[in-house]
Amino acid sequence: MFPAGALLSWGLLTVAVVPASLGEMYTSLLNVKQAIGVERKLIGYLRTYIDHESERLDDIKRFHAKVSDLHTEVYRGPAAAMANPLLAFTLIKRMHSEWLNVVYSNEAQENAQALRSGYEKEEGDLPKLEDLQGAAKALMRLQDVYALQVASLVRGRFQRVTDGKSIDVYLPAVSVPLSGDDCFQVGKVAYEQEDYYHSVQWLEESVRLFRGTGGVWSPENEGTLEDALDHLAFSHFKTGNVSHALSLSQELLHYDPENGRVLQNVEKYEKLLVSSSPESIRANELRRPTSNHLRTRDTYEMLCRTQGSQQPLQFENPRLFCDYFTNGNPQLLLLPVRREVLSVQPYVVLYHNFITDKEAEDIKRTSHPGLKRSVVAAGEKQATAEYRISKSAWLKGSSHSTVGKLDNKISVLTGLNVKHPYGEHLQVVNYGIGGHYEPHFDHATLPSSPVFKLKTGNRVATFMIYLSTVEAGGSTAFIYANFSVPVVEKAAIFWWNLHRNGQGDADTLHAGCPVLIGDKWVANKWIHEHGQEFQRRCSLNPEE
């Protein structure tokens, strides 16, 4: 009775999804950049095809002109001309073989086959269905977290409404508008997840844009105006807006009047409207569903949007300060580090200019071959998750001299023993499209956590290095402490995960906000309890 996709989408989706190892391009901006090189090759194949096809079309035009001239000048002439055996022969030959060769041109097939062969050569490096779905989910994530208007995104702008006015969250140098088919693909991904809050908004834009073209289909499009109307009508029905579902279904019938399923839907919607009270059939306001898995969603998103704001009283806290820090170490006496104390509880510090441009590039380049989809703890094992979108690689101290230098710098600044196994290997992370890491703890909260595999205790501290900057988004938000830290290129952020009594500090619940614009790279160094007995002594107060 409802759109075929409503019944078949999950089955089709299950069959079409490729193994994770082949996809996941959307989880790392590095892979997206590499895709540009692949498309450049495809453009070359297409250019060759166009050149060859242009030559073939010139031949066809010449054939068309020759035959047209014959019909204009010769075949309309005196009957004696028709008796000419040469004319008769060429007519018969042309009708027998020349038209056949033009209509079923071997050259056309060869040109098309060459283009297909070139495409198939690059096929292994092309995005998979999973990547398209992941990129669509990323747009919806950015829409939600940064309260972006879908209509603005469609125009290539990043805007939100504040006090009734559209405000630019970020103004791109180049605006890339979306097509009706682009919007249809995003809406379809939401639709197939039964996420009708998002499908309604994106499919509304799709229908508007398709209508604007007069419903004219383009060869690169997967969807049509009829497809968008079909999915949008059912989405409205599922959100309780039956009257809108009815009007859209009736519009669809203009294009496909014999569609039995849509006719049944129209009949059902009309009966529902007749049997319902006037109050119940009023257009329902579209509301974002509540989150079952993310209880701190509102605080998290507010901190991501404000990018660095804290409670006003915290700015007046005299315990927050900036200084030149040596940690009493001779190595820093001549060149102290610029330290900014961001929070006292939890203790969070930002070290400016911790890493050089060359060191950052060394670390990123060395990590490229080992980048894999980032995982999270799932009981005693680790697994990928939608709430962490990135790729990561682990670098041992022997992988590059810069890794050893960074270990030494971290040890000098913190006074901690960071050598393996007291410190984990350096984890390098590249975030993907809308890449994020929802609120989480770095320290283990369960005895079965993989963190304890090193047998050196829990993660006592985190040292995170910003290897790049971003244009917008990507802040580190501390949820319960109620502040966020924007990405500061070449800086490093440090905090204690555990109290001195060994218990986890709940105030270190933090998140990596979605990257709105930019290519975010970080390197994490997690330091464990064992090996720090004389560097960070336990307190005599068991409450500390």
Side-chain angles (χ1 to χ4, degrees):
M1 282 177 50
F2 300 115
L7 299 175
L8 299 178
S9 60
W10 284 110
L12 290 172
L13 189 59
T14 304
V15 172
V17 169
V18 297
S21 60
L22 297 179
E24 301 178 342
M25 180 183 290
Y26 71 98
T27 62
S28 168
L29 257 291
L30 175 65
N31 296 131
V32 176
K33 287 181 177 179
Q34 290 168 341
I36 294 172
V38 175
E39 188 170 46
R40 194 172 289 120
K41 292 180 184 178
L42 293 179
I43 292 170
Y45 298 137
L46 188 58
R47 179 71 261 171
T48 301
Y49 171 77
I50 291 170
D51 291 341
H52 290 166
E53 279 293 279
S54 296
E55 293 172 8
R56 189 178 68 86
L57 285 175
D58 287 341
D59 289 337
I60 292 174
K61 288 176 184 176
R62 181 177 47 73
F63 177 78
H64 174 267
K66 179 182 78 171
V67 176
S68 297
D69 289 346
L70 285 171
H71 279 262
T72 301
E73 299 172 8
V74 178
Y75 295 155
R76 287 184 180 178
M82 300 304 298
N84 186 326
L86 298 176
L87 279 176
F89 170 79
T90 55
L91 173 65
I92 291 171
K93 175 191 177 270
R94 195 166 56 250
M95 298 292 286
H96 175 262
S97 60
E98 291 182 18
W99 276 98
L100 182 70
N101 293 337
V102 168
V103 174
Y104 298 98
S105 168
N106 288 334
E107 189 180 8
Q109 293 175 12
E110 289 167 5
N111 292 346
Q113 186 54 48
L115 178 62
R116 291 190 190 103
S117 296
Y119 177 86
E120 287 164 4
K121 243 187 236 179
E122 312 302 330
E123 202 163 11
D125 295 322
L126 297 178
K128 309 298 187 288
L129 174 62
E130 175 191 6
D131 294 308
L132 177 61
Q133 292 167 339
K137 291 174 187 175
L139 290 182
M140 291 183 271
R141 182 185 314 123
L142 294 172
Q143 169 197 341
D144 290 343
V145 173
Y146 297 106
L148 302 175
Q149 294 175 287
V150 175
S152 297
L153 288 172
V154 171
R155 296 196 307 272
R157 304 286 293 272
F158 298 87
Q159 296 178 321
R160 76 165 65 103
V161 175
T162 304
D163 298 327
K165 296 181 180 178
S166 292
I167 305 296
D168 283 315
V169 175
Y170 176 79
L171 191 60
V174 179
S175 293
V176 180
L178 301 182
S179 68
D181 190 59
D182 293 334
C183 297
F184 174 71
Q185 292 300 328
V186 178
K188 186 181 174 188
V189 169
Y191 178 93
E192 289 174 343
Q193 295 182 115
E194 300 182 15
D195 174 6
Y196 302 112
Y197 167 78
H198 288 105
S199 70
V200 163
Q201 296 179 73
W202 286 93
L203 291 171
E204 285 278 12
E205 290 298 320
S206 175
V207 166
R208 180 182 66 79
L209 290 167
F210 274 135
R211 282 174 179 156
T213 63
V216 176
W217 179 79
S218 297
E220 68 270 23
N221 289 354
E222 184 176 324
T224 63
L225 174 59
E226 292 92 322
D227 293 328
L229 286 168
D230 202 2
H231 287 75
L232 179 58
F234 186 68
S235 296
H236 273 300
F237 168 72
K238 293 297 288 186
T239 59
N241 195 341
V242 180
S243 59
H244 205 168
L246 174 61
S247 65
L248 290 165
S249 298
Q250 289 171 332
E251 181 182 351
L252 179 54
L253 285 176
H254 285 297
Y255 300 99
D256 191 6
E258 302 302 320
N259 191 315
R261 176 177 51 78
V262 178
L263 286 168
Q264 284 183 317
N265 286 350
V266 167
E267 184 180 349
K268 181 180 180 67
Y269 298 153
E270 288 174 339
K271 286 180 180 178
L272 283 171
L273 291 172
V274 169
S275 62
S276 303
S277 62
E279 291 79 14
S280 64
I281 63 174
R282 286 178 187 160
N284 295 344
E285 182 183 351
L286 199 60
R287 286 194 182 93
R288 185 181 172 193
T290 56
S291 173
N292 295 323
H293 77 281
L294 186 54
R295 289 171 294 175
T296 59
R297 184 177 76 178
D298 292 344
T299 303
Y300 159 58
E301 293 181 352
M302 181 274 292
L303 290 170
C304 289
R305 291 170 199 166
T306 50
Q307 297 187 35
S309 70
Q310 304 175 40
Q311 293 292 347
L313 290 177
Q314 285 184 283
F315 285 111
E316 301 168 12
N317 188 341
R319 298 172 70 189
L320 301 182
F321 59 88
C322 299
D323 67 357
Y324 284 96
F325 181 66
T326 66
N327 198 26
N329 193 298
Q331 293 186 47
L332 297 176
L333 286 177
L334 294 178
L335 192 62
V337 174
R338 290 169 55 206
R339 177 177 66 165
E340 182 178 354
V341 179
L342 302 172
S343 172
V344 176
Q345 178 50 43
Y347 182 73
V348 182
V349 178
L350 188 71
Y351 297 111
H352 291 269
N353 293 319
F354 172 79
I355 192 170
T356 67
D357 288 329
K358 182 180 183 305
E359 288 170 339
E361 288 305 314
D362 286 344
I363 295 297
K364 287 191 286 187
R365 186 172 58 253
T366 306
S367 73
H368 286 185
L371 285 173
K372 294 181 181 178
R373 175 76 182 270
S374 298
V375 295
V376 297
E380 295 182 8
K381 298 182 179 180
Q382 294 179 317
T384 60
E386 282 295 309
Y387 63 83
R388 188 181 190 190
I389 299 298
S390 61
K391 283 190 175 178
S392 53
W394 296 88
L395 300 185
K396 295 180 180 179
S398 58
S399 60
H400 195 284
S401 59
T402 298
V403 179
K405 288 179 184 176
L406 292 182
D407 279 350
N408 181 62
K409 280 187 182 182
I410 294 169
S411 183
V412 166
L413 268 179
T414 62
L416 299 175
N417 183 353
V418 304
K419 294 297 182 184
H420 194 268
Y422 307 116
E424 296 179 32
H425 295 307
L426 192 70
Q427 185 197 53
V428 183
V429 183
N430 180 220
Y431 287 81
I433 305 170
H436 70 144
Y437 194 172
E438 287 183 358
H440 63 283
F441 293 107
D442 279 359
H443 63 271
T445 55
L446 295 172
S448 60
S449 170
V451 167
F452 293 113
K453 284 185 177 179
L454 285 178
K455 301 188 185 303
T456 51
N458 210 338
R459 289 172 171 170
V460 67
T462 294
F463 198 96
M464 183 171 72
I465 308 164
Y466 292 120
L467 302 175
S468 68
T469 188
V470 296
E471 285 77 12
S475 297
T476 302
F478 287 83
I479 311 304
Y480 295 139
N482 198 29
F483 74 97
S484 57
V485 186
V487 175
V488 180
E489 188 177 18
K490 296 188 287 187
I493 185 170
F494 170 82
W495 67 88
W496 298 107
N497 292 308
L498 306 180
H499 292 295
R500 286 185 179 270
N501 62 10
Q503 298 299 308
D505 185 347
D507 286 337
T508 63
L509 183 73
H510 65 286
C513 296
V515 179
L516 183 59
I517 302 288
D519 187 8
K520 181 181 175 183
W521 288 81
V522 301
N524 297 308
K525 188 73 176 182
W526 285 300
I527 305 159
H528 284 233
E529 294 175 280
H530 297 183
Q532 321 307 332
E533 292 82 357
F534 299 103
Q535 281 77 11
R536 194 194 193 216
R537 297 175 183 274
C538 295
S539 169
L540 295 176
N541 182 354
E543 299 301 317
E544 288 186 353

